[in-house]
Amino acid sequence: MAPLADLYQLTMAYGHWRAGRHRVPAAAELFFRRGPFGGVFALGAGLAEVLRCLRAFRFSAADVAYLRSVLPSTTEDAFFDYLATLDTSEVTVSAVPEGSVIFARVPFLQVKGPLLVVQLLETMLLCLVNYASLVATNATRFRLLAGPNVKLMEMGLRRAQGPDGALSASKYSYIGGFDCTSNILAGKLYGIPVRGTIAHSFIMSFTSLEEVQPRELLPLAGGKPVDLPALAESWLQRVCELLQTPPEKANRGELGAFVSYAITFPCDFQGLLDTYCIRRSGLPNFCAVALALHQLGYRAIGVRLDSGDLAQQSKEIRRVLRACGAHFQVPWFETIPIAVSNDISEQSLEEFSREGSEINMIGVGTNLVTCPLQPSLGCVYKLVEVNGSPCLKLTEDEEKMTIPGTKTIYRLYDAAGHPFMDLMALEDEPSPSAGQELVVHVLGQLGETSKVVPTNVEALHRMYFKDGQVCEPLPSLSEVRSHAQVSLSLLSPAHRQLHEPQPYLVAMTERLHQLLAELRQASQ
Amino acid sequence: MAPLADLYQLTMAYGHWRAGRHRVPAAAELFFRRGPFGGVFALGAGLAEVLRCLRAFRFSAADVAYLRSVLPSTTEDAFFDYLATLDTSEVTVSAVPEGSVIFARVPFLQVKGPLLVVQLLETMLLCLVNYASLVATNATRFRLLAGPNVKLMEMGLRRAQGPDGALSASKYSYIGGFDCTSNILAGKLYGIPVRGTIAHSFIMSFTSLEEVQPRELLPLAGGKPVDLPALAESWLQRVCELLQTPPEKANRGELGAFVSYAITFPCDFQGLLDTYCIRRSGLPNFCAVALALHQLGYRAIGVRLDSGDLAQQSKEIRRVLRACGAHFQVPWFETIPIAVSNDISEQSLEEFSREGSEINMIGVGTNLVTCPLQPSLGCVYKLVEVNGSPCLKLTEDEEKMTIPGTKTIYRLYDAAGHPFMDLMALEDEPSPSAGQELVVHVLGQLGETSKVVPTNVEALHRMYFKDGQVCEPLPSLSEVRSHAQVSLSLLSPAHRQLHEPQPYLVAMTERLHQLLAELRQASQ
């Protein structure tokens, strides 16, 4: 693959090369400036993909030929020869483990290497980390709102930025706490559980019970095959009597589709209830088929709703399922899982819990994969040191100021085990110690000093890439997913809150603060 | 590539196969339900990619093996054998030409073929068309707001859903009217012009004029090499005197970076002005280097701003450029293009024109590629006919009702050449004729009939795919782009409006309306 880059990076690379500065040592940091979606945390994701692309980073002959055609004609030939030799063999990358909770302004990826390469990597790293972390964070929010017991399914393939955007969405939603995806390719490539049963179009393709073919089903325990359409029709009469709905209002095309599906997948029958009227058609038809299946020894696996007031309907459906279960003495009927979809958002989940819904599984598409509450994490990648000198960008916008120098990042934990501060120190400073008082400058109140005593101190970054190779074993996708849940669970409730959370403290050591002050002074 | 599909499509496919219905003829339509971003139109895009994927549609042995592992264990072996033979050789696709203006509820892609295949294509088609059309539409809105003379550059690579999402964004923004992209790979793959010059990190990597290497530049007309740092420093004194800014406040690292860049690309020098203070540093440094270049016969190509009040600053910068041009007798100085970026949105463009900015080029990233005003076009794909019978989905939600039957779509034009109505007719109805009165039922007022006399009638769809092959020559990307601008220009101003546009009329013929009424009656 050709390196992902914006053109200006190549023109700058030429600038460095021509000035003989291309091999000057440099360091850059990747971070975001504000917690996404109004929360205080994000989930760092994309690292495995970053490492894969770092290893593959190379300009092919075709890439170089193309660049020759778009860079200014004054560009020297020798530069293109140099580009063709470029790789990441002198690049070092340290990062927060994938799936960790991360905070605004704290670097979660650090890159060192020759200036030209470090700059060339900018776009590629941002492209691979930005959306991955954003959608993983979005997924954690859905998980936090749904609680631990509701199943969450990602179904955004149709709404993502094309096939590969959809694959990223499936992968990183899984990391963020989703249980499964509808996307077969994501299942095949990443081993994510895939789910999905029946759609409106299947139901609409039937107009009557007569179309059902084949019509017979063997009882689970064996015996004579049974005519399922006839059995379902007879159950429909009994169900409609119980529910006091007119049997002629139950759509027979829908009933045919249900019966056909049940004959095909007797152990996996799920009813989609809202193609026609739920109360008078979808629900009676489902109960009729499920009771017919029960009579043959099978259990239906669920119902699904895709329109209307989902919370309200789930309660009505649960009531009907209970009534049927009690009346026809089928105890498992009352716990049939109810799945919902249809433009589910954070707000939907809040409504579901406010209304005390009976929903057991939720499919989320657009509002998961496109992250409409905040469509970009806005990660940035900034040079912090060139040729041994720390860099400072002073702008009129305080928030856009970079913090100079290569750093070690520590996460400080309180006595309850919650992280309460991320601390940036210069690389050559000694590590803070658990139980010892630290004097720090908290970002946003740099004039004053604060004193803190961490109960525990963790070095946040690990070295992942060195000498052109991945140098740390990478966890599997499901290990990353578990790590994410642990990382989230450590957060204090005040920081885990999705709206108006307590700000998370990010601080500098006194030495780093002093360096910043000196550089500021010098650049005035 | 494995076909893009959601799992339920495969379970349904099995249902159809087992019922022996898999080869029943079926027809489906793809459309969106509401105009995106509050406008009335969208730009249809993604067709070329759809056709490419239709040709390649096939389940590999590995795909089939994977499906075997995820479909219920009761699935028969023979079904998997059948899947392995599946292709699109019996599929027919007609569509609106790529880059055409399209409207809500009017099918812009029609698919016919064996039921099983037609249903299996659903997710793939939606995935390839949804984002393509959304981002192309978003791009047209930026183009309409910017007017025809401002250059628009797509720079969303860092904010897209990964590398391929970014490529889609570049391609479809170009179709929608953008001029260029920053994404090298998009340039290489699609031939889109690429642009981009200098970044903050390049500037920050310099701390003084001493670091500039090499230091000499040959005059354009030949002659002795000149020490450009010294020349720029002397011009800086004169510029600061004219602008009445203190020369010591002009950052010498920035000046060094400008000089270095100018020596490297003397014919392509652009200054990024806002790394430090624009007024006292960026602008004087730029003018100094540009005047030094001028002295050697070169012209700077522009300035760029990436923060602050862009419209206001552009006016101040233009004033300074004019003053410098006049004072130092360099006439081209006053027309130096001013480029801006930094979270540019539709609102930014409205502000620019309200404030009468001096901006000549605009780079748009996040707000173009992520479409935050509406992150999904919400296209749907609905069966309209199975085995010769039209399908109807009646729901309590009127807007979600499908219009049954296979159709021909006509666009009707008024005397001014503007389209004023899209008309759906049954396939076997005669075409309406220009100048003849038509009796139609407008969607949203189905109870009444309306009479219209079109000045011109256009059949909207073309047949693009037949017998497994593309059967119509496809235009190049730049031809699609031109077609889009023509299609947009035909819209009446009332429909082209981005906010609160006049609703566009979509109607049915009397015969189609009658069919709908009959089906409704039958399903009550």
Side-chain angles (χ1 to χ4, degrees), chain A residues 213-236:
Chain A
Q213 203 52 257
R215 306 176 69 83
E216 296 192 327
L217 181 63
L218 285 176
L220 185 60
K224 264 181 57 184
V226 174
D227 182 313
L228 199 65
L231 186 60
E233 179 68 52
S234 76
W235 272 108
L236 180 63

Side-chain angles (χ1 to χ4, degrees), chain B residues 15-80:
Chain B
H16 288 313
W17 179 85
R18 188 132 191 283
R21 296 159 42 86
H22 50 294
R23 295 187 48 74
V24 158
E29 292 175 348
L30 199 156
F31 56 95
F32 59 94
R33 290 194 172 115
R34 278 190 207 185
F37 311 118
V40 88
F41 68 88
L43 206 68
L47 180 61
E49 192 63 12
V50 160
L51 296 171
R52 199 181 65 73
C53 289
L54 278 174
R55 283 186 57 185
F57 183 91
R58 211 148 283 132
F59 289 97
S60 70
D63 295 334
V64 171
Y66 173 71
L67 290 175
R68 205 184 280 271
S69 76
V70 292
L71 284 175
S73 57
T74 47
T75 311
E76 290 173 37
D77 276 353
F79 174 65
F80 296 108

Side-chain angles (χ1 to χ4, degrees), chain A residues 262-437:
Chain A
I263 292 174
T264 311
F265 295 121
C267 304
D268 297 270
F269 173 61
Q270 187 186 49
L272 174 58
L273 303 188
D274 62 346
T275 308
Y276 309 103
C277 175
I278 295 175
R279 200 175 63 81
R280 301 197 297 182
S281 183
L283 195 48
N285 279 334
F286 169 79
C287 291
V289 176
L291 288 163
L293 277 178
H294 175 74
Q295 195 179 326
L296 305 184
Y298 300 98
R299 279 192 187 191
I301 62 163
V303 298
R304 185 160 80 87
L305 292 172
D306 189 42
S307 58
D309 181 338
L310 302 171
Q312 208 48 45
Q313 286 171 355
S314 75
K315 291 196 280 185
E316 285 165 30
I317 290 166
R318 182 69 68 213
R319 206 175 306 129
V320 168
L321 294 175
R322 284 202 183 107
C324 274
H327 183 82
F328 299 115
Q329 298 182 306
V330 185
W332 61 264
F333 233 72
E334 62 176 284
T335 57
I336 287 177
I338 301 175
V340 300
S341 50
N342 188 26
D343 206 22
I344 303 290
S345 63
E346 288 192 6
Q347 214 183 333
S348 317
L349 267 63
E350 282 161 355
E351 276 166 32
F352 295 168
S353 51
R354 205 167 38 241
E355 294 184 26
S357 85
E358 289 284 347
I359 293 165
N360 307 102
M361 176 157 181
I362 302 173
V364 195
T366 309
N367 293 308
L368 177 61
V369 307
T370 69
C371 304
L373 293 181
Q374 179 176 331
S376 163
L377 184 51
C379 287
V380 293
Y381 179 85
K382 296 290 172 192
L383 279 181
V384 290
E385 199 172 284
V386 174
N387 216 1
S389 303
C391 305
L392 178 69
K393 183 191 169 196
L394 272 184
T395 67
E396 278 135 61
D397 186 351
E398 175 81 17
E399 210 194 4
K400 282 199 170 182
M401 190 183 71
T402 51
I403 296 165
T406 57
K407 311 173 189 74
T408 307
I409 319 287
Y410 300 97
R411 183 159 290 174
L412 311 184
Y413 291 85
D414 63 18
H418 301 308
F420 69 92
M421 175 181 285
D422 282 8
L423 178 65
M424 298 187 240
L426 285 169
E427 225 172 20
D428 58 358
E429 288 190 76
S431 166
S433 301
Q436 286 196 350
E437 189 180 80

Side-chain angles (χ1 to χ4, degrees), chain A residues 132-150:
Chain A
S133 301
L134 185 74
V135 75
T137 307
N138 202 18
T140 65
R141 295 172 64 92
F142 279 96
R143 170 51 70 203
L144 288 170
L145 284 167
N149 298 321
V150 170

